[in-house]
Amino acid sequence: MSRRIALSVVAGVVVLGGAGAVAVAYAGDQAPAPALSHSTVHYAAPGAGHQGSLSFTTEVTAPSGVQSLKVLAWPEKSEFADKPLTAKDMASVESATCTPAGARTVRCVYRTPVSAADAASSAHGAWHIAVLATAKDGHTTLDTRAADFTLA
């Protein structure tokens, strides 16, 4: 092998190795998005003389910590079935209350009362819970079907 070819091969290996090292360093620098686990929803219909309620609970884990969790209940037969929810849609919805549940994990609970009038005027059938989890470093996770319930 000539000296010129050997130098070209060595230079190519150095360039590719350097690019690979930069890619690995960049990928290692990227913190993962918040992760949701143990999501549950409970809907209690209003009855004679008492209000109903909707409760959603989940655990959120993020390496940088959790900044917020936004929650939205939406009926399956709505505009969101054809045009999926986005993080922008979730920006102005209500937040859950989160408490520490580990080093980088919080347990978030969202509760809202449901009056008989609310239940009567709402779409009956399948509903979904959408959540937007935001980490302190700005990474987000949007789960448009974190949990499901039925409004009968």
Side-chain angles (χ1 to χ4, degrees):
M1 181 178 333
S2 77
R3 190 175 207 186
R4 182 181 281 167
I5 293 173
L7 285 174
S8 295
V9 169
V10 169
V13 168
V14 168
V15 168
L16 289 175
V22 168
V24 168
Y26 180 74
D29 217 17
Q30 299 299 309
L36 303 169
S37 61
H38 310 296
S39 297
T40 60
V41 63
H42 178 72
Y43 171 72
H50 66 83
Q51 283 195 333
S53 65
L54 175 68
S55 298
F56 173 75
T57 304
T58 193
E59 289 186 1
V60 185
T61 302
S64 66
V66 178
Q67 179 178 328
S68 67
L69 183 80
K70 301 280 192 163
V71 179
L72 175 68
W74 61 279
E76 186 167 80
K77 295 179 180 177
S78 71
E79 75 259 16
F80 299 130
D82 297 327
K83 181 184 170 235
L85 281 161
T86 65
K88 186 177 178 180
D89 295 325
M90 297 291 292
S92 62
V93 302
E94 296 180 9
S95 295
T97 301
C98 301
T99 56
R104 294 182 178 103
T105 302
V106 294
R107 181 169 293 111
C108 299
V109 178
Y110 172 79
R111 287 188 179 101
T112 189
V114 178
S115 69
D118 290 338
S121 66
S122 296
H124 288 72
W127 281 64
H128 308 289
I129 300 291
V131 297
L132 176 65
T134 304
K136 289 182 179 176
D137 64 8
H139 286 89
T140 61
T141 295
L142 174 63
D143 186 346
T144 60
R145 293 184 177 208
D148 304 309
F149 67 99
T150 301
L151 196 142

